[in-house]
Amino acid sequence: MAAVSGLVRRPLREVSGLLKRRFHWTAPAALQVTVRDAINQGMDEELERDEKVFLLGEEVAQYDGAYKVSRGLWKKYGDKRIIDTPISEMGFAGIAVGAAMAGLRPICEFMTFNFSMQAIDQVINSAAKTYYMSGGLQPVPIVFRGPNGASAGVAAQHSQCFAAWYGHCPGLKVVSPWNSEDAKGLIKSAIRDNNPVVVLENELMYGVPFEFPPEAQSKDFLIPIGKAKIERQGKKTKIYRHPSILVKFNLEVTVINMRTIRPMDMETIEASVMKTNHLVTVEGGWPQFGVGAEICARIMEGPAFNFLDAPAVRVTGADVPMPYAKILEDNSIPQVKDIIFAIKKTLNI
Amino acid sequence: MSQCCAGPASITRVHCPDGATCIGAPEGDAEPRPGLPAVVTGRRRHLQHSVKNMLAAFISRVLRRVAQKSARRVLVASRKSSNDATFEIKKCDLYLLEEGPPVTTVLTRAEGLKYYRMMLTVRRMELKADQLYKQKFIRGFCHLCDGQEACCVGLEAGINPSDHVITSYRAHGVCYTRGLSVRSILAELTGRRGGCAKGKGGSMHMYTKNFYGGNGIVGAQESCFLLPLPWVSM
């Protein structure tokens, strides 16, 4: 009897199971995108959106980019939009600035920012100062982009960080993306901006994949220039400019990714310092007149100074031209141990 | 010829041409000397025979060597007269100068060998640098000049050690011809303290007296050097 009732009951249960069954719903796997692909996507979308946008630089077209950042763009847009230039930075930067003044929206790629020194007159005198000098009549909507800072074993003339140099000049906007989301959002904002923008990328980060949030996959994903991002909340402030290293702490540290060097987002930094009472800045460039120096000076001039419990500490690259030998090079850029040492020094532990 | 006389004082059982099977019988002596037993005379004959053969062989060897030497000397002698090579250089157009550079130049055998040796050294050094780069002992950039050794060696042939030289990033060959040792160049490439720039410069930044290095920035060497030349040469 029991068996019969069991038999009867079972199909009912199964039927109810059928009735209750719905679509199996899992969250989509996080999309991993490298910084290189993110910049490529950003440029691709802007090239598609506005036909006045074009890219010029050494090896950007047929070679797909010296670091493959502009892969596939020449095939898609052709010779008129993606232009290979000779090895003449002063020449093609000047051409790009002229094109911007005439109404186009060029993206001028430097193979590395070290070579931008050949063209720095065009960047500063022709691009940065023009809007001011013309009394607001002549905007220069140009983007200068390329890898900046130390690479691996490329010695003194190929490893300089230009954040401080370009950050010094009024008239320029300077951004420094870290992960793929930053890279895509900032390059898109830079291209849409009517001012000359210098985008300081990092060669070592090009191949690093990051999680790409769904909002970043939209064609109108922009990151406002001039806003920093708090990557991590904690009890102590640390400002990263180029966080290509992951730091694990027992302490609770607030990590701020500056994203923009000029105009600097002092509100976020001051708010964080007022909460945590300590400050450590980290950058890859040389210490004297660097980004960290500027942040410390501005903290001193602002309301956050009264909240500091200890002097702010800067962690920077060594004050030497980048040496070639591996061991010397490793010790010339900020390492994890240097940051830990600086934090312990500030906290007096 | 007989098959006897394998060597001095070797007693072998041989078949001499005179038909007799003798022990160590020298060739030639058909008749034994009177007064001596037959075996003894046979042995002595064989010894004389072997000594004679040895002497003949030795003399022929000496003569052959002498002949060869004199043949070589003859060959050398015939080349000596054209040992130096003369090259003609295209005449330059002159402006405000009475005399231009010379229109012929002579390369002596000694010089030719010297330049060849320098080029071979540069080639071996560059091939090794290539191998080290692939094994990742050399990092960053490594611009090689294997195949272009004649450029740096030819340049060095035309200038004095007191002249000033600057070049671009393909500098290893010029470093060698300007006086840096292969050891110091390879040490610099591998980032060692014994390198010419103490490991701090790398491939493109090697310097020595009257040599102002390679340059990493394309075209930088022109403005660096050509323009101040009038002041430097004073």
Side-chain angles (χ1 to χ4, degrees):
Chain A
M1 232 21 239
V4 172
S5 63
L7 275 169
V8 170
R9 247 183 254 138
R10 226 181 284 124
L12 278 171
R13 229 181 281 140
E14 279 170 15
V15 165
S16 64
L18 269 169
L19 288 171
K20 274 192 207 140
R21 201 170 292 170
R22 26 182 143 69
F23 284 112
H24 200 57
W25 180 251
T26 44
L31 185 63
Q32 294 271 325
V33 177
T34 57
V35 175
R36 173 187 285 127
D37 291 337
I39 301 172
N40 188 295
Q41 259 182 48
M43 287 200 291
D44 192 2
E45 287 167 9
E46 292 304 305
L47 282 159
E48 202 181 312
R49 180 180 170 267
D50 186 353
E51 59 176 19
K52 296 214 274 296
V53 178
F54 70 99
L55 172 67
L56 83 166
E58 293 158 8
E59 311 286 9
V60 293
Q62 295 183 28
Y63 194 67
D64 275 339
Y67 301 99
K68 307 296 178 212
V69 177
S70 51
R71 191 188 287 137
L73 294 180
W74 178 63
K75 278 213 179 74
K76 191 168 168 187
Y77 296 102
D79 278 331
K80 287 246 181 258
R81 307 285 296 284
I82 312 290
I83 303 168
D84 269 335
T85 61
I87 308 176
S88 179
E89 280 76 11
M90 177 76 104
F92 68 74
I95 288 173
V97 173
M101 289 183 187
L104 297 174
R105 303 189 78 91
I107 308 169
C108 177
E109 176 176 311
F110 291 119
M111 199 180 278
T112 71
F113 264 95
N114 300 281
F115 310 134
S116 75
M117 266 206 283
Q118 296 277 311
I120 203 161
D121 175 72
Q122 299 290 351
V123 177
I124 308 297
N125 279 332
S126 301
K129 296 180 183 171
T130 301
Y131 192 57
Y132 181 89
M133 292 192 298
S134 65
L137 281 176
Q138 180 64 69
V140 184
I142 189 171
V143 174
F144 296 102
R145 52 160 290 269
N148 175 53
S151 182
V154 291
Q157 289 180 350
H158 291 77
S159 308
Q160 187 172 337
C161 177
F162 285 82
W165 284 36
Y166 289 122
H168 187 59
C169 297
L172 273 186
K173 291 192 179 177
V174 182
V175 298
S176 173
W178 166 52
N179 61 7
S180 337
E181 191 190 330
D182 287 353
K184 183 173 172 187
L186 286 172
I187 191 90
K188 286 168 79 74
S189 304
I191 295 170
R192 294 193 197 188
D193 198 311
N194 287 328
N195 294 294
V197 183
V198 170
V199 182
L200 301 171
E201 301 153 7
N202 190 308
E203 193 207 325
L204 297 171
M205 298 300 287
Y206 277 151
V208 181
F210 289 93
E211 221 177 85
F212 218 47
E215 58 269 14
Q217 295 168 33
S218 123
K219 287 205 171 158
D220 280 314
F221 171 66
L222 298 173
I223 288 181
I225 295 180
K227 289 297 298 166
K229 182 183 175 198
I230 298 185
E231 297 282 348
R232 188 184 186 176
Q233 274 289 4
K235 290 199 202 115
K236 208 190 103 352
T237 308
K238 179 161 56 116
I239 300 173
Y240 263 129
R241 210 183 62 68
H242 263 158
S244 50
I245 38 180
L246 186 60
V247 181
K248 290 193 173 77
F249 278 103
N250 287 331
L251 308 161
E252 287 281 314
V253 176
T254 305
V255 179
I256 300 178
N257 174 8
M258 281 194 63
R259 286 179 167 174
T260 308
I261 309 294
R262 188 179 180 105
M264 221 185 281
D265 185 5
M266 283 314 293
E267 284 90 28
T268 311
I269 301 172
E270 280 171 352
S272 180
V273 170
M274 291 199 261
K275 206 167 59 153
T276 60
N277 308 321
H278 296 91
L279 178 62
V280 171
T281 68
V282 181
E283 58 176 315
W286 295 321
Q288 193 159 337
F289 307 103
V291 180
E294 177 63 20
I295 293 173
C296 295
R298 289 220 208 165
I299 290 284
M300 244 192 2
E301 291 162 357
F305 176 68
N306 297 312
F307 291 79
L308 275 177
D309 284 349
V313 174
R314 302 177 285 169
V315 180
T316 64
D319 196 21
V320 283
M322 183 65 68
Y324 167 70
K326 179 143 184 38
I327 185 126
L328 293 175
E329 187 189 41
D330 287 343
N331 284 292
S332 301
I333 48 177
Q335 296 178 300
V336 177
K337 60 178 170 75
D338 300 320
I339 302 175
I340 294 174
F341 178 78
I343 292 179
K344 287 187 175 167
K345 188 170 155 192
T346 332
L347 293 175
N348 215 10
I349 49 174
Chain B
M1 273 295 285
S2 80
Q3 295 95 351
C4 47
C5 316
S10 62
I11 308 295
T12 49
R13 194 179 290 276
V14 292
H15 292 274
C16 285
D18 56 358
T21 306
C22 45
I23 299 172
E27 190 192 283
D29 274 353
E31 290 170 9
R33 280 176 62 194
L36 286 169
V39 175
V40 172
T41 46
R43 215 175 280 146
R44 201 156 142 235
R45 217 181 300 146
H46 187 72
L47 260 166
Q48 283 175 1
H49 179 71
S50 62
V51 166
K52 240 193 211 167
N53 273 348
M54 260 175 55
L55 199 60
F58 174 72
I59 289 171
S60 73
R61 236 182 291 147
V62 167
L63 279 172
R64 219 179 295 137
R65 226 180 272 147
V66 166
Q68 274 177 352
K69 251 199 189 136
S70 55
R72 245 185 272 142
R73 272 203 211 101
V74 164
L75 272 165
V76 162
S78 70
R79 232 187 270 149
K80 234 183 203 155
S81 57
S82 59
N83 220 2
D84 302 342
T86 310
F87 295 94
E88 287 195 11
I89 304 168
K90 194 172 137 195
K91 195 169 186 311
C92 303
D93 290 336
L94 298 175
Y95 179 70
L96 293 185
L97 284 171
E98 281 94 47
E99 274 180 37
V103 287
T104 59
T105 186
V106 173
L107 177 73
T108 64
R109 187 167 181 275
E111 279 176 347
L113 283 173
K114 183 176 90 169
Y115 300 143
Y116 185 58
R117 192 189 184 86
M118 280 165 82
M119 287 198 282
L120 267 182
T121 310
V122 173
R123 172 66 69 99
R124 292 289 298 277
M125 181 179 75
E126 294 296 84
L127 289 178
K128 194 62 188 172
D130 186 20
Q131 189 190 24
L132 289 171
Y133 186 72
K134 287 176 179 142
Q135 293 171 325
K136 302 214 196 297
F137 287 108
I138 298 176
R139 303 163 63 233
F141 298 120
C142 188
H143 300 100
L144 300 171
C145 65
D146 49 325
Q148 299 178 12
E149 305 87 359
C151 298
C152 43
V153 172
L155 173 71
E156 195 60 35
I159 59 177
N160 301 320
S162 61
D163 289 330
H164 307 272
V165 176
I166 192 172
T167 186
S168 69
Y169 43 84
R170 205 168 298 277
H172 304 164
V174 187
C175 294
Y176 175 72
T177 55
R178 281 271 93 189
L180 285 169
S181 67
V182 175
R183 184 201 176 98
S184 66
I185 295 172
L186 287 175
E188 183 60 36
L189 287 173
T190 47
R192 283 167 163 69
R193 219 183 337 199
C196 46
K198 302 192 179 67
K200 298 186 185 182
S203 168
M204 300 180 286
H205 310 295
M206 298 195 235
Y207 301 81
T208 184
K209 187 158 190 341
N210 293 332
F211 175 56
Y212 305 94
N215 275 278
I217 306 296
V218 174
Q221 74 272 16
E222 272 109 38
S223 346
C224 210
F225 208 67
L226 292 180
L227 297 181
L229 210 50
W231 290 272
V232 170
S233 51
M234 275 199 288

